[in-house]
Amino acid sequence: MSFVSIRNLRVAFDGVQVLHGIDLDIGHGEAVGLVGESGCGKSVTWLAALGLLPGKAKIEGSVTIEGQELIGAPRTGIEAVRGARIAMIFQDPSSSLNPVHRVGRQICESLRLHRGLRGDTARTEAIRLLDMVGIPSARTRIDLYPHEFSGGQCQRVLIAMALAGEPDLLVADEPTTALDATIQAQILDLLSNLRRQTGMAMVFISHDLGAVSTVCDRAAVMYAGRIVEENDIGRLFVVPRHPYTRGLFDAIPELDAGRARLHPIPGTVPDPRQLPQGCAFSPRCTAASRFCKEHQPDLRAQPQGGLLACFHPDQVRAETKQEVFA
Amino acid sequence: MNAILQAKGLVQQYTTAKSFFGKASTVRAVDGVDLTAKQGEVLGIVGESGSGKSTLGRMLLGLETPFQGELRYLGQPMPAPHSPEWRKLRAQMQLIFQDPLAALDRRLTIAAQIAEPLEIHGLAADSELDRRVAGLIERVGLRPDQAGRYPHELSGGQRQRVVIARALASNPRFLVCDEPVSALDVSIQAQVVNLLRDLQEGEGLSMVFISHDLKVVRNICDRVAVMYLGRIVEEAPSDQIFSDPRHPYTQALVSSVPKAGTGLRGRIILQGEPPNPAARPSGCAFHPRCRIAAPACAAQVPALEYNDGRLAACLKLQPKLRPAA
Ligand SMILES: Nc1ncnc2c1ncn2[C@@H]1O[C@H](COP(=O)(O)OP(=O)(O)OP(=O)(O)O)[C@@H](O)[C@H]1O
Ligand SMILES: Nc1ncnc2c1ncn2[C@@H]1O[C@H](COP(=O)(O)OP(=O)(O)OP(=O)(O)O)[C@@H](O)[C@H]1O
Ligand code: SF4
Ligand SMILES: [Mg+2]
Ligand SMILES: [Mg+2]
């Protein structure tokens, strides 16, 4: 059984539907990437799953942890499950560390909340966590304020706080986006080491396909509030099949390639208030037919593995052709 | 290729306001930079956040007076900011930066914003104005019907096109682009990168392209300078610098770019923290994080010089001075 199972998750804000039915499973200990352009619903998916969206959000569908339903459950129930089993590192840094409290105090608060640790026990554990995420001289720096740490170190402190509850799943929303390339590399390295040490599962949300490929086993590509393709990292990168996934890969220049011109995806991401009919990608898609503009492709399991929502996927092999309209 | 812009020994320093804890301190944001921008070339500037890239870019355009050093535009000394001579030059030199929304006036239509520099610099007669604006709108790949729109009615990529159209209005010869595509989604990034390349190739524009996205820099730049704490530590043609970086910092930077399918293998993970310009390490500023640093590296500042046909600032690359490891 998967650890977390998301089924037909839908979210609307003020009558505007932004998630249109997400299905996603996270296995025990698995690292799954969630990629896609700004506004496609990556963050909302997990904020909804964890009951962290504002009250005005209308949430439907199901999210279970080892069979236990989270959607619609009383808030206190969710808190208990979530805090103990799932931790999230948020994209918005301002909502994360409190500037007026010493970082040690903030980690200890987490330890008290999730593991009932207090006093010296909590402090010792906080130092161990800071050590584990690579803060030098943790013993003395535990009493510093957030502004006394660099951006990369603040990200490490946040990771330490997330680890305080010994979660089974860590959801990291763009954990490296704001950081320098060399610091990004350090944090990616840290995250994959921690996963190896603790065996926790991880959801890695990012618009950086390269970063996702370095730390994840599997990835899902989102477009306009839907998952359009999902596969093992290896296959997704070698044979991307959805025209949008392909388009993303083609749009990114290669470091070891020459200076060939880039291949942009024409047009722009649709406004959620005015989604096109049929496949939301059809106005930008070079493979689109009239059928695509009238019908919504479902996310379907593919015979060669992976999931795909497209009527005219990139042909990898001849045999992939017939299943398309099946 | 002729130089369009030459910088020698450029230094910029800022005095930070007294902080709550300590006293006012002086930050050398740019600490002795020699750089030549050649005509018709795209020169990339990369480096860690706070290494002085934007400060250097502003000085190259004469928007800030250097604390020290000299700057020549087409062989002539750069006039002082806001002097009449400088105003005349401004039309030829334009800046495009990261946030298109901040660069645009929310209350003006796209057409009005693009017309503005033409009017200010008296570059088009009233009768010609509409035609010139329409031409610029077409040149950056916007639709004619978008002329009457306001900035908030456009997407990020379209807004950046408006900024570029406005920069092009005065027929510049030299553009400084500071993180021009960082705020854009990848699919849109490629549209803007291609547009900049068209302009450069088609019209021989000279460009300085500042970015932390090494893949984009690789694609658009002819030559690249790598900065670390206010200094250039390596400079080379883009083909060489990414395939065969010489400076240990450049090596770490290039290797930090995630490559699909290789996982974390072969990456150089730097130890230590990003540098603080207010507390510059002695000797080679990179030595506390450098994998191959020797004791001499903490004592001696390496000059940017040729070794083995390559320009880099590292003691370990100098055969004569190579410190005993
Ligand atoms: N609190 C909110 N109120 C109203 N709309 C919201 C809210 N949060 C998100 N949205 C909308 O939901 C959609 C999905 O947003 P989401 O934050 O999940 O995107 P994302 O994929 O995480 O993008 P990014 O890469 O920019 O972080 C967007 O159209 C966004 O404007
Ligand atoms: N106007 C200013 N007053 C005081 N300090 C400044 C000013 N502008 C820049 N600095 C400081 O100078 C240093 C270099 O800044 P600069 O913006 O040039 O870096 P950068 O390389 O462009 O960084 P980034 O990649 O983050 O844009 C930084 O330490 C910065 O805090
Ligand atoms: S379903 Fe059609 S429009 Fe959508 S991505 Fe596939 S081919 Fe393109
Ligand atoms: Mg997000
Ligand atoms: Mg800058």
Side-chain angles (χ1 to χ4, degrees):
Chain A
M1 187 174 59
S2 347
F3 174 57
V4 174
S5 223
I6 301 180
R7 287 290 170 274
N8 197 18
L9 183 64
R10 283 154 292 149
V11 173
F13 293 101
D14 311 312
V16 179
Q17 196 76 29
V18 299
L19 277 197
H20 299 266
I22 298 293
D23 292 332
L24 189 64
D25 286 287
I26 313 295
H28 286 278
E30 198 187 13
V32 178
L34 210 51
V35 300
E37 290 177 88
S38 186
C40 68
K42 304 180 295 293
S43 300
V44 164
T45 298
W46 285 95
L47 293 172
L50 301 180
L52 297 172
L53 284 177
K56 67 169 180 177
K58 186 162 157 257
I59 305 169
E60 296 162 295
S62 151
V63 177
T64 54
I65 298 188
E66 288 176 334
Q68 190 184 353
E69 181 62 61
L70 297 186
I71 302 290
R75 232 186 151 88
T76 49
I78 301 189
E79 288 303 322
V81 177
R82 182 170 64 82
R85 319 280 322 255
I86 306 182
M88 185 158 175
I89 301 171
F90 297 97
Q91 176 174 13
D92 177 13
S94 62
S95 69
S96 306
L97 282 176
N98 188 334
V100 303
H101 293 313
R102 300 171 197 277
V103 302
R105 172 166 165 196
Q106 300 187 51
I107 299 173
C108 287
E109 174 64 17
S110 248
L111 287 166
R112 188 187 58 77
L113 209 66
H114 299 312
R115 283 160 61 192
L117 301 184
R118 282 163 205 279
D120 282 350
T121 333
R123 192 176 163 87
T124 310
E125 176 63 6
I127 291 169
R128 191 188 69 86
L129 287 168
L130 286 175
D131 224 28
M132 183 158 140
V133 298
I135 299 282
S137 342
R139 193 166 296 277
T140 52
R141 301 183 73 187
I142 183 169
D143 291 320
L144 298 183
Y145 290 91
H147 75 263
E148 296 173 85
F149 290 90
S150 69
Q153 282 179 332
C154 282
Q155 200 57 277
R156 287 173 192 269
V157 171
L158 284 173
I159 294 172
M161 264 169 80
L163 295 177
E166 301 185 316
D168 296 307
L169 169 64
L170 176 66
V171 179
D173 194 353
E174 307 271 8
T176 61
T177 304
L179 304 174
D180 277 325
T182 59
I183 307 300
Q184 254 181 43
Q186 289 177 354
I187 299 291
L188 292 180
D189 193 51
L190 170 67
L191 285 173
S192 67
N193 282 336
L194 287 173
R195 193 162 76 88
R196 216 172 310 129
Q197 281 169 37
T198 62
M200 67 181 175
M202 191 165 80
V203 169
F204 186 85
I205 301 175
S206 177
H207 61 263
D208 184 343
L209 291 159
V212 164
S213 80
T214 59
V215 292
C216 296
D217 308 314
R218 190 157 57 88
V221 180
M222 290 185 68
Y223 189 79
R226 285 193 171 85
I227 292 179
V228 296
E229 182 166 11
E230 190 184 317
N231 215 336
D232 297 338
I233 286 295
R235 286 197 68 81
L236 190 69
F237 279 73
V238 177
V239 279
R241 298 197 56 217
H242 195 284
Y244 176 62
T245 317
R246 264 230 83 89
L248 279 184
F249 283 117
D250 290 346
I252 302 172
E254 291 282 339
L255 201 57
D256 43 16
R259 299 186 49 199
R261 288 180 64 83
L262 302 179
H263 303 281
I265 303 177
T268 53
V269 176
D271 180 343
R273 287 167 300 187
Q274 299 162 11
L275 277 192
Q277 282 264 300
C279 170
F281 188 59
S282 60
R284 306 176 72 188
C285 179
T286 47
S289 62
R290 260 201 30 218
F291 193 77
C292 303
K293 297 188 194 290
E294 286 158 10
H295 302 271
Q296 174 63 52
D298 290 332
L299 187 66
R300 297 210 174 150
Q302 302 294 299
Q304 63 274 64
L307 302 167
L308 188 63
C310 173
F311 297 121
H312 310 291
D314 245 47
Q315 301 301 322
V316 232
R317 291 191 219 105
E319 78 250 25
T320 60
K321 204 162 186 168
Q322 56 278 30
E323 104 253 359
V324 170
F325 286 97
Chain B
M1 247 191 286
N2 294 326
I4 185 155
L5 201 70
Q6 268 175 304
K8 264 216 171 64
L10 279 194
V11 172
Q12 187 61 292
Q13 66 178 35
Y14 301 113
T15 307
T16 58
K18 242 191 208 139
S19 83
F20 184 73
F21 299 99
K23 44 184 177 6
S25 63
T26 305
V27 167
R28 270 169 108 84
V30 170
D31 192 17
V33 161
D34 296 341
L35 195 67
T36 301
K38 296 175 189 162
Q39 286 193 18
E41 183 193 54
V42 184
L43 170 62
I45 300 181
V46 299
E48 215 97 333
S49 178
S51 59
K53 305 182 294 295
S54 299
T55 305
L56 177 61
R58 288 193 302 269
M59 284 196 288
L60 292 180
L61 287 177
L63 294 172
E64 264 181 36
T65 313
F67 179 74
Q68 272 170 22
E70 68 170 87
L71 201 59
R72 293 181 159 263
Y73 179 73
L74 293 172
Q76 300 300 311
M78 178 75 77
H82 310 293
S83 64
E85 296 80 15
W86 178 81
R87 282 216 168 81
K88 240 182 267 159
L89 277 187
R90 273 299 286 152
Q92 298 182 28
M93 301 184 288
Q94 294 289 334
L95 175 66
I96 293 170
F97 61 99
Q98 179 167 352
D99 182 2
L101 208 49
L104 296 172
D105 186 334
R106 284 155 205 265
R107 298 156 305 176
L108 291 183
T109 62
I110 299 316
Q113 320 229 14
I114 297 174
E116 212 173 42
L118 293 171
E119 291 164 335
I120 290 175
H121 296 292
L123 294 168
D126 284 354
S127 57
E128 246 194 302
L129 199 61
D130 289 349
R131 200 179 49 79
R132 287 284 294 276
V133 170
L136 285 161
I137 286 179
E138 191 192 330
R139 225 163 112 199
V140 297
L142 290 167
R143 291 195 313 269
D145 65 275
Q146 288 168 329
R149 301 265 196 100
Y150 290 87
H152 66 267
E153 298 176 297
L154 299 180
S155 71
Q158 290 166 340
R159 282 179 207 141
Q160 196 58 296
R161 285 165 192 270
V162 175
V163 172
I164 294 172
R166 199 172 58 171
L168 294 177
S170 57
N171 283 322
R173 305 174 61 164
F174 181 62
L175 282 185
V176 171
C177 305
D178 192 352
E179 306 276 7
V181 297
S182 307
L184 308 177
D185 272 322
V186 278
S187 73
I188 309 302
Q189 245 180 39
Q191 296 174 7
V192 175
V193 168
N194 280 351
L195 169 63
L196 289 172
R197 282 187 62 169
D198 285 343
L199 294 170
Q200 190 266 328
E201 283 160 19
E203 330 198 354
L205 266 181
S206 313
M207 240 184 257
V208 166
F209 190 92
I210 300 172
S211 176
H212 65 264
D213 187 332
L214 295 188
K215 294 171 170 177
V216 170
V217 168
R218 167 77 186 103
N219 187 269
I220 198 171
C221 297
D222 299 293
R223 203 155 47 95
V224 178
V226 181
M227 289 187 75
Y228 195 85
L229 264 194
R231 298 223 172 110
I232 293 177
V233 295
E234 183 163 3
E235 191 192 309
S238 148
D239 290 334
Q240 286 179 359
I241 208 150
F242 293 110
S243 61
D244 180 21
R246 296 291 170 88
H247 192 283
Y249 172 67
T250 317
Q251 290 173 347
L253 189 66
V254 170
S255 102
S256 72
V257 177
K259 274 197 208 67
T262 59
L264 291 162
R265 279 190 305 278
R267 302 179 85 182
I268 301 169
I269 307 289
L270 284 183
Q271 302 306 313
E273 288 310 309
N276 173 4
R280 188 189 178 83
S282 62
C284 169
F286 184 58
H287 87 264
R289 303 171 77 196
C290 182
R291 296 186 304 160
I292 58 167
C297 300
Q300 193 180 342
V301 180
L304 182 66
E305 59 181 34
Y306 281 98
N307 282 297
D308 228 357
R310 293 284 300 270
L311 199 54
C314 170
L315 294 174
K316 296 274 260 184
L317 293 172
Q318 305 173 0
K320 292 173 302 242
L321 300 174
R322 177 169 299 178

